[in-house]
Amino acid sequence: MDVNFNKNEDYNKLQVSDLKRKLLKVYKGGGEKRIEKHHAKGKLTARERIDYLLDEKSDSIEIGAFAGDEMYAEHGGCPSGGVVVKIGYISGKQCIVVANDATVKAGAWFPITGKKNLRAQEISIENKLPIIYLVDSAGVYLPMQDEIFPDKEHFGRIFRNNAVMSSMGITQISAIMGSCVAGGAYLPIMSDEAIIVDKTASIFLAGSYLVKAAIGEDIDNETLGGATTHCEISGVTDYKATDDKDALDKIKNIFSKIGDNQKAGYNRIKPSKPTENPQDIYGILPKLRTDQYDMKEVIKRLVDNSEFEEYKADYGKTIICAYTRIDGWAVGIVANQRKVVKNAKKEMQFGGVIYSDSADKATRFIANCNQKKIPLVFLQDVTGFMVGSKSEHGGIIKDGAKMVNAVSNSVVPKFTVIIGNSYGAGNYAMCGKAYDPRLIFAWPSARLAVMGGSQAAKVLLQIETASLKKQGEEITPEKEQEILKTIEERYDKQTSPYYAAARIWTDAIIDPINTRKWLTMGIEAANNAPIEKPFNLGVIQV
């Protein structure tokens, strides 16, 4: 191994260590004191509930762990968006679990909470996955009600989705394990079956204080909407549980009897591990974003037997297209090549840039994968499409549009891994969040932005200095450097993978070594949902 490999390895392992440290903090939710208070009520935390519910020693992946990260500081923060979402297994059957974290503002709904819940439902709908709601929430966070209540993608959309999912035959099971008030009361009751924990859980449209204020009636919360009331008088809930574990056991019992789905039929054989050491990824991935590396070496450490069949290997070299397998699943990989390469005309092409020939190749490959019913995996490290008169005259916009068209209309499941840069229209062509990947996740080395940091900072510097000069301020070289530094720091923060994950632009930030697990669980989930429409590119300019 050379010196650069060792330097890269040290840097990337530190990045992963930082990721793990941040995750440990996130896992504490509202903090140790609030967890202790929660336990004192005889209740498990959201994560403890999920861990008890899912099969022991089975794989699981967490969606949106960093949701809300460094957001809402003026409101005390909202770790993980106040809700924990995991894809895992119950009785060997894959499902998605959504659990309110009552240690965070009593499980109240912030804007990001709603977005995360909708993402969980989206995953359930796309993959026909059964979904379980573990409800323990004080309802909408009132100081921010205008950002969570009335719009299409706000709180009410969740109940609309409950109804739509029911009509699609997607199993929904709820356990009321704490507060469940106002509009939030509809979620568990719009599920197929609802369990309520005696004495610690309640469900009502208005609590006792509001009832007193509204109609003058004196009544306690337990009589108003406790387990006995709803299991014996109103019939709103279906099962009474003695405690959290009993409620979760009832879910397990129901779940063990659910029939299997019709499968999509994606090809899978006996899995094999990569023959090349996946740990080498830390040394291959460069510390500096401007440095080159060979994406093929990364692919070898992600795929079965480190083998892949490259499509049009000598054409459009800044995108790699290849058939391969991941954990036995057949996949088509579309990956940005970060090496500087030569095209057929012996012209140099910059790594990480999409040229006309690369876009043309990728378009055809995506169509082939749709024809053959092969899931697509996009490995992003892209700075955008090539610019300049030569590219424009050569029709780069047309070729880029064809690739975007193919990605948009693809009917096989798509999965996106952001390895490095994810800039501008390159993000779109390589199946960014707007293009409906079933899962999209990033490595700690990822960056998402409309353009690279140095270019953006220079553009923003010009705008800001021009504005200050108009106001009569003299801009010295020292002042210019000060402004530039401020802009770079702000832009660097906004391009961070943590900034993206906080806003659920990605589903997670993961250790590169876990990439195979995420992809195989994602494809297994997608295999529950047969393709319902043919692949059609629509109108494109050839």
Side-chain angles (χ1 to χ4, degrees), residues 1 5 8-9 12-13 20 274 276-285 301-302 511-514:
M1 299 298 177
F5 184 97
N8 293 339
E9 185 177 43
N12 286 310
K13 284 187 174 180
K20 291 177 179 177
E276 300 285 348
N277 187 359
Q279 295 278 340
D280 291 346
I281 289 173
Y282 299 130
I284 294 167
L285 205 62
R301 287 151 179 86
L302 296 177
D511 184 339
I513 303 305
N514 292 329

Side-chain angles (χ1 to χ4, degrees), residues 155-180:
F155 192 63
R157 185 77 172 182
I158 290 160
F159 316 133
R160 175 264 184 195
N161 285 352
N162 287 142
V164 170
M165 292 161 72
S166 182
S167 73
M168 295 172 67
I170 296 172
T171 297
Q172 300 177 84
I173 301 172
S174 289
I176 304 155
M177 312 182 82
S179 296
C180 185

Side-chain angles (χ1 to χ4, degrees), residues 98-117:
V98 180
N100 297 116
D101 186 351
T103 70
V104 179
K105 297 287 185 185
W109 288 60
F110 283 68
I112 199 68
T113 317
K115 187 173 183 179
K116 186 169 175 179
N117 274 264

Side-chain angles (χ1 to χ4, degrees), residues 41 151 155 166 193 350 355 367 419 421 465 490 502 518 533:
K41 297 175 185 176
D151 209 346
F155 192 63
S166 182
E193 297 182 86
F350 296 104
Y355 290 78
I419 289 175
N421 302 318
T465 53
R490 184 176 68 236
W518 271 74
K533 64 177 184 178

Side-chain angles (χ1 to χ4, degrees), residues 176-248:
I176 304 155
M177 312 182 82
S179 296
C180 185
V181 300
Y186 287 107
L187 184 146
I189 309 311
M190 292 187 76
S191 300
D192 303 337
E193 297 182 86
I195 299 153
I196 186 168
V197 179
D198 195 21
K199 300 296 187 283
T200 59
S202 57
I203 177 170
F204 33 63
L205 293 182
S208 56
Y209 293 122
L210 186 54
V211 167
K212 174 67 174 176
I215 63 172
E217 181 183 2
D218 282 309
I219 190 168
D220 63 88
N221 281 341
E222 182 63 26
T223 306
L224 182 66
T228 299
T229 294
H230 286 311
C231 287
E232 298 179 21
I233 299 173
S234 73
V236 165
T237 50
D238 305 307
Y239 308 93
K240 184 195 288 186
T242 56
D243 55 23
D244 279 11
K245 287 187 176 179
D246 185 37
L248 298 170

Side-chain angles (χ1 to χ4, degrees), residues 121-140:
Q121 289 184 321
E122 180 182 40
I123 291 170
S124 173
I125 290 167
E126 287 181 331
N127 300 290
K128 304 293 191 293
L129 276 187
I131 186 167
I132 295 163
Y133 308 100
L134 307 180
V135 185
D136 194 346
S137 171
V140 166

Side-chain angles (χ1 to χ4, degrees), residues 64-69 71 78-82 112 116 501-504:
F66 286 109
D69 184 50
M71 295 170 67
C78 188
S80 271
I112 199 68
K116 186 169 175 179
R503 288 150 183 83
I504 319 183

